[in-house]
Amino acid sequence: MEFDDKVPIYYQIKTVIYDQIIAGQLAPGDKLPAIRQLAVSLTVNVNTVQRALREMIDEGVVISQRGRGNFVTSNAEIVEQLKQELIDRYLKQLYDQLHRLNISDEQIVNEVTAYIERQGDLNDDNTES
Amino acid sequence: MEFDDKVPIYYQIKTVIYDQIIAGQLAPGDKLPAIRQLAVSLTVNVNTVQRALREMIDEGVVISQRGRGNFVTSNAEIVEQLKQELIDRYLKQLYDQLHRLNISDEQIVNEVTAYIERQGDLNDDNTES
DNA sequence: ATTAGTGTACTATCTTTCTATTACACTATA
DNA sequence: TATAGTGTAATAGAAAGATAGTACACTAAT
């Protein structure tokens, strides 16, 4: 997998897995791929995967069972909460970024709408990027 | 200044300065604060500021004059181009992030609109955050 | 000519991240 | 009870980022 060299890899791995959980590709209670398997498929060291998992475990989103594997928490509330947190973080990020560029609230909505229009056109009946 | 410990400081400094240029706080041709001055006000080492400036110089946005100082390019086109690039990068970032969470185009617009509504309410006649 | 203010360069050291490697602990199953 | 599959721990080293400190080069003003 490709990583942004401006952000720690372990952190990007955490992001990827959280995204999969929130998108529903990993449902509550589901077993995650084995750590060594993840390391291979992400072409990354086992310890790096470990570090990502460590944080997800500490945050209560992943449950670790020695000898069995890592599982998404079966507490759907936690997942829903995580989803809200992430969405809000992402929105705040864009809002702050554009505000720093002196772009008004109204303009922000316009820019986002226009951007999505452009994307929609591109993907009307094409293959995704 | 406070930095996000997930992103290199030199890169965040670059972002801050670019934002100021685009927002018009630093107009084309303007002189930037002296490197040592920037280091103090950002509470960061001189070399770290240097590295940020190095990239901005390489990208043609900042002009360095030994013994005189660093200046924003007087080429307004470059600044405008930078602005478009940044806006597009920020929008793409949000779009990709929310798409990975399985949120539809329509929902994205709704979320952004709702977020900005909330912000607008907060700042109606209050001091900014 | 001197001096203050500027950018530039270089070396050494520290911290964080990532990797490599080895070893150990627990579970399930043949 | 072996064995394969899993998570966990720990050490050592490489690479990138950040710092501290020193020195040098150029400009403008006195």
Side-chain angles (χ1 to χ4, degrees), chain A residues 54-117:
Chain A
R54 179 76 267 141
E55 293 201 356
M56 298 191 277
I57 292 164
D58 289 346
E59 293 169 10
V61 179
V62 169
I63 307 295
S64 169
Q65 296 190 23
R66 199 187 188 99
R68 296 196 61 234
N70 289 296
F71 301 82
V72 178
T73 177
S74 43
N75 184 338
E77 260 189 44
I78 291 185
V79 173
E80 179 58 26
Q81 195 180 322
L82 180 65
K83 176 173 182 175
Q84 290 310 319
E85 279 175 15
L86 281 190
I87 291 178
D88 208 66
R89 182 191 306 165
Y90 293 157
L91 290 172
K92 173 173 168 47
Q93 172 189 247
L94 180 80
Y95 184 76
D96 291 348
Q97 285 169 336
L98 294 189
H99 250 207
R100 278 199 302 272
L101 300 189
N102 237 355
I103 295 177
S104 72
D105 286 3
E106 194 188 7
Q107 283 173 306
I108 292 178
V109 176
N110 291 341
E111 291 280 2
V112 170
T113 307
Y115 184 88
I116 291 191
E117 286 284 327

Side-chain angles (χ1 to χ4, degrees), chain A residues 8-10 44-45 47-48 51 66-68:
Chain A
I9 292 177
Y10 81 88
V44 148
N45 190 273
N47 301 313
T48 308
R51 179 155 182 190
R66 199 187 188 99
R68 296 196 61 234

